Amino acid sequence: METVSIVGGGIAGLALASCLDPDKFQVTVYEKRPELPTVGNALGMWPNAQHALARLGILDEAKAVSPVTGSGSVRDAQGKPWITVDAGDMFGISRVDLLRLLDAAVPATVRRVTGNVREMPADGGLVVGADGVHSVVRREAWGAATDARLTPYLALRGTLPTSVSQDEVGEYWGRGDLFGMAAARGGSFWYASYRSGAGPYGMDAASVLDQARERYATHAPAIRRTLAAATPGECLVQRLWTVPRLGSYVRGRAVLIGDAAHAMMPTLGRGACESLVDAVTLGDLLNTLPETKALRAYDRQRRLRTRALSMASSAMGRIALAEGAQPFRDRLLGLARRRNPRAAVVRGSAG
């Protein structure tokens, strides 16, 4: 049997382990966390990600624990809507639920190793870097020049046991900050992002939450109400990092998937989706083609696609988090809505 070592037991790593043929591969997953997380943000599942979940056999289960996204609006800081987005059949699943379903889908033949991986496994087979933005595999195989790059922005995410009103769902774009709210199973999910010098590691959720309350103190009532109800124990805080553009996702017998390959700004909500697609694409190619051809086809199919999405997410981030250009952005969006209200309704169908 062929040996595959997957470094990272997150979304990408578990998805790949779930779809590799157990009759062809001896798979080992290396993961530093002994248990699945208990707190996590909501992830929008675009059509391409839903196809990947269907391939893994867990789409129906994912839908069963996830509310349909429905429609939401992009608004100014005070809550006045500019654009309303109809998300169609898109749904939002908790990261915790998604990881639980992926973990259960992994065959019993897959070997699990818990602990920090500080160097690439030397098992003599294919090594898959699914170890996130600070990938050990990327650093060892591609070099230090590909280390993650720190953005100026912080992300604060949380959940609440209370539901969010449909006329408050969406994103609020202020001056150098954004805030979003969406429905979640058993309550609601919210997120905030803005420029911050905190961190980049070991940030205290309680302190950041207090900082956010102060920053958004003059924003829409829905934002202030959400932050007042938030608790540090139900929050995640991190600085945002990206991965520089790579000339290839394959180097020798090492290959990158998910954030290890293309960590991007979260402004398009595509990171988890593309991680799932990476994993299923690579798994199916390895199942059916010789390794060299499979890796070449994977790189050809996924690198340009994810590069385009990374560029688009960065562009969207510059618009949503505009500072000096914020008044001009607001005037343009307001003018567009006044001139053609029907054009302000967007239907989401892209995969």
Side-chain angles (χ1 to χ4, degrees):
M1 296 181 73
E2 300 175 47
T3 299
V4 177
S5 298
I6 302 173
V7 182
I11 292 172
L14 292 176
L16 178 60
S18 299
C19 67
L20 284 172
D21 185 352
D23 293 328
K24 181 177 180 180
F25 298 102
Q26 177 58 58
V27 180
T28 301
V29 175
Y30 296 85
E31 169 55 36
K32 63 182 178 182
R33 297 172 302 195
E35 298 177 349
L36 295 175
T38 57
V39 178
N41 55 310
L43 305 168
M45 292 290 102
W46 292 78
N48 62 343
Q50 294 188 39
H51 294 320
L53 294 175
R55 162 64 181 84
L56 298 172
I58 59 173
L59 177 59
D60 290 342
E61 293 173 272
K63 286 184 173 181
V65 296
S66 308
V68 174
T69 301
S71 62
S73 296
V74 178
R75 312 164 187 270
D76 66 16
Q78 301 307 313
K80 184 177 180 180
W82 288 314
I83 301 169
T84 297
V85 179
D86 179 359
D89 294 329
M90 185 175 170
F91 63 87
I93 186 170
S94 161
R95 182 181 293 271
V96 175
D97 285 334
L98 179 57
L99 286 171
R100 174 180 56 81
L101 293 174
L102 289 170
D103 187 70
V106 174
T109 54
V110 171
R111 177 171 168 252
R112 311 280 193 121
V113 177
T114 301
N116 280 321
V117 176
R118 302 189 183 281
E119 57 185 21
M120 288 175 57
D123 294 338
L126 179 67
V127 177
V128 181
D131 46 344
V133 65
H134 299 294
S135 172
V136 170
V137 175
R138 189 182 67 246
R139 180 178 178 83
E140 285 213 1
W142 275 257
T146 66
D147 281 355
R149 297 174 179 174
L150 182 64
T151 76
Y153 302 107
L154 172 148
L156 177 63
R157 305 175 174 101
T159 57
L160 289 176
T162 53
S163 61
V164 57
S165 171
Q166 186 59 44
D167 61 5
E168 294 174 339
V169 168
E171 284 194 349
Y172 300 70
W173 293 359
R175 186 180 181 88
D177 57 50
L178 65 80
F179 194 95
M181 289 180 280
R185 181 165 68 113
S188 57
F189 162 74
W190 61 269
Y191 54 95
S193 188
Y194 51 89
R195 188 181 294 269
S196 173
Y201 306 109
M203 289 172 285
D204 177 64
S207 298
V208 173
L209 187 54
D210 286 340
Q211 180 188 74
R213 288 171 179 147
E214 182 177 349
R215 181 178 185 100
Y216 292 92
T218 60
H219 286 53
I223 297 177
R224 302 199 303 269
R225 185 173 63 250
T226 297
L227 289 174
T231 60
E234 295 297 323
C235 289
L236 293 175
V237 57
Q238 60 186 161
R239 288 291 297 276
L240 295 178
W241 300 74
T242 60
V243 169
R245 186 170 63 189
L246 302 178
S248 174
Y249 291 167
V250 177
R251 179 154 296 186
R253 300 197 72 192
V255 57
L256 301 175
I257 62 175
D259 281 353
H262 48 68
M264 61 187 77
M265 289 286 287
T267 40
L268 288 181
R270 299 301 289 262
C273 294
E274 300 310 313
S275 293
L276 288 167
V277 177
D278 283 353
V280 168
T281 301
L282 178 60
D284 285 344
L285 288 168
L286 288 170
N287 287 340
T288 56
L289 295 175
E291 181 182 296
T292 300
K293 289 185 177 180
L295 296 179
R296 189 182 304 123
Y298 165 75
D299 188 58
R300 184 173 61 250
Q301 291 180 32
R302 297 300 300 153
R303 183 165 46 87
L304 294 181
R305 165 73 171 177
T306 52
R307 179 184 295 177
L309 286 169
S310 180
M311 293 172 63
S313 67
S314 294
M316 180 63 76
R318 288 192 292 271
I319 296 170
L321 295 162
E323 295 184 64
Q326 173 261 327
F328 179 64
R329 176 202 67 192
D330 290 6
R331 285 196 297 272
L332 280 180
L333 288 170
L335 182 62
R337 182 174 182 87
R338 286 194 297 273
R339 285 191 171 182
N340 191 358
R342 291 187 179 182
V345 179
V346 179
R347 296 192 180 276
S349 60

